[in-house]
Amino acid sequence: MRIAAFVTALFLLIPSVSPCATPATSPEIDPRASLGVVQAWIYNYRAKPDYAHVPAAVRVLFHAQTFKEPENAGIYLGFIAGAIGSNPARAEQLVNSFFPIPPEDQWVIVRAIAYSGLADWRNLLRRIEPRMPGRKVMIDSYLAGTLPTLNDIPLEEAKPGMLDKLRGAFTHNPFEKEEKKLDTKVTFANSQDLLDTLWGYYFATGSHVPIQRIISMLPWSKSRDTVDKLTVGSMARYTLASYAVRDQGLREYLRGQLAQASAPVKAPLTEVVEAADTVQLAAVRKDALAAVEELKTKGSDSRRNLDFWGQVGVGAVALGCVSAAALGQVEVGIPCVIGGSASQGLLSFWEKQQ
């Protein structure tokens, strides 16, 4: 899901379920059913698991081509992964029941097994591999650990510290032409579809583990570092409130987390609980959209801070500090003060690292 589609995401991420639908109702699935019927069934599944009809529901998902655009298929992928992981004794039987699967969609099964949380997921993937010869590269990547499982995906990529930036600045040849490489590292901060995947896993299992992961993203709803993080954080806040309106158990769980929440989490989590209790979702959505627009217009907090320090001639590192930092001998917490072109030069370098 692209950032440009953020407005659409806020309206369409929640499955079309009637407010009158009761979680205790989990209708049987006809393989010829519409996608809307399956969406409602998935949403209600955790209250009354209907394991026997998972294969029929999955066949509807494949028939409806919901996996044609992987970035928009997170909820369904997460649901399949959760269904596989919820019953280890019958996991292989369930996976085999999904076949035949169009070759272009077989990646879903590979990833769902890897995301399932099964203790024995690698051996299950090896046993299923002969049925998906076209996905050998992907399978081998998961088995080798070069592709992460859902539990291993970090919230965000660790940012280089000041020392790392300085080392890079003074070891990099400015005349050397750099070859831009595609960044394929996956994090929750740069892959908004993973938020959907966590929700799908929750729908299949009722587990609070994915909910805990979503809660940990809430501080990003107050962040002004990047549009990506603000978008994911805002979506996490909005979807928690939206689903909690309809899910009393989830609402009570979130309320129980308030007492032990850290300061960065507590403020947005309080907003989630209040919005869910009072059904004030419009305010959450409006605030999220305004925050994203402000960040796109004014830039990040770090960018604004650099502008400020640049105006007063502070924010660069003096020669002595540079030498020590480049050798890893000191940790520079506050930049030394120098003036003139050197200051602006390092400001320019620092800005490019944001």
Side-chain angles (χ1 to χ4, degrees):
M1 188 181 301
R2 303 294 182 188
I3 292 173
F6 177 66
V7 176
T8 303
L10 289 179
F11 287 96
L12 300 184
L13 188 60
I14 312 300
S16 301
V17 181
S18 168
C20 299
T22 58
T25 303
S26 183
E28 294 186 358
I29 291 296
D30 185 326
R32 297 165 296 179
S34 69
L35 181 59
V37 169
V38 174
Q39 287 177 331
W41 183 85
I42 287 175
Y43 177 78
N44 291 293
Y45 182 89
R46 66 196 178 283
K48 187 180 178 182
D50 185 10
Y51 197 78
H53 288 90
V54 171
V58 172
R59 282 193 287 274
V60 172
L61 295 178
F62 284 124
H63 180 73
Q65 295 186 318
T66 54
F67 302 104
K68 185 177 181 180
E69 298 182 12
E71 291 184 344
N72 294 329
I75 282 184
Y76 309 121
L77 169 63
F79 179 82
I80 296 173
I84 293 172
S86 67
N87 195 333
R90 298 175 61 184
E92 186 169 357
Q93 178 184 350
L94 178 64
V95 171
N96 280 316
S97 72
F98 298 151
F99 289 88
I101 299 171
E104 63 271 17
D105 289 334
Q106 290 177 357
W107 67 270
V108 176
I109 303 304
V110 177
R111 185 156 292 167
I113 293 174
Y115 281 9
S116 67
L118 288 172
D120 196 37
W121 69 269
R122 287 184 176 84
N123 284 329
L124 174 57
L125 196 53
R126 291 187 182 101
R127 291 193 295 270
I128 298 296
E129 181 177 4
R131 305 195 70 165
M132 300 180 290
R135 290 298 172 186
K136 178 173 174 53
V137 173
M138 187 179 184
I139 291 172
D140 288 346
S141 295
Y142 275 116
L143 294 177
T146 54
L147 283 177
T149 65
L150 188 60
N151 291 333
D152 291 333
I153 297 174
L155 284 178
E156 58 183 317
E157 188 176 355
K159 291 184 177 180
M162 183 177 292
L163 295 181
D164 295 319
K165 291 182 180 181
L166 289 170
R167 289 191 187 98
F170 292 98
T171 57
H172 171 66
N173 182 354
F175 300 103
E176 181 181 355
K177 184 177 180 180
E178 292 187 6
E179 181 180 350
K180 188 174 180 61
K181 295 182 179 180
L182 180 66
D183 185 4
T184 58
K185 294 178 182 176
V186 179
T187 69
F188 281 91
N190 66 18
S191 304
Q192 289 115 347
D193 58 297
L194 289 174
L195 175 62
D196 295 359
T197 304
L198 291 175
W199 278 116
Y201 199 98
Y202 170 70
F203 293 155
T205 63
S207 169
H208 288 142
V209 173
I211 300 301
Q212 281 288 349
R213 207 77 188 275
I214 296 171
I215 290 174
S216 67
M217 302 176 200
L218 287 177
W220 294 346
S221 67
K222 307 296 183 181
S223 170
R224 298 299 182 270
D225 288 341
T226 67
V227 174
D228 277 347
K229 287 174 64 174
L230 176 58
T231 301
V232 174
S234 297
M235 289 174 66
R237 184 178 58 163
Y238 181 79
T239 53
L240 278 171
S242 297
Y243 287 126
V245 165
R246 301 166 173 84
D247 186 336
Q248 181 178 351
L250 176 60
R251 196 161 62 248
E252 292 174 352
Y253 176 77
L254 295 176
R255 189 179 296 109
Q257 294 300 299
L258 281 173
Q260 60 193 47
S262 62
V265 169
K266 194 161 191 172
L269 183 56
T270 298
E271 294 172 350
V272 167
V273 172
E274 290 179 351
D277 283 339
T278 60
V279 196
Q280 295 291 332
L281 300 180
V284 178
R285 181 172 60 245
K286 183 178 179 180
D287 179 70
L289 296 175
V292 171
E293 186 60 33
E294 179 187 20
L295 178 57
K296 291 167 66 176
T297 302
K298 297 183 178 180
S300 67
D301 284 343
S302 56
R303 168 65 253 188
R304 295 179 217 173
N305 290 339
L306 287 174
D307 286 342
F308 171 75
W309 287 116
Q311 290 170 8
V312 298
V314 180
V317 180
L319 182 59
C321 296
V322 168
S323 300
L327 294 173
Q329 296 173 352
V330 298
E331 182 172 347
V332 182
I334 301 176
C336 303
V337 180
I338 60 174
S341 59
S343 173
Q344 294 303 317
L346 191 55
L347 279 173
S348 178
F349 158 74
W350 199 347
E351 176 185 351
K352 292 176 182 177
Q353 308 310 306
Q354 301 304 316

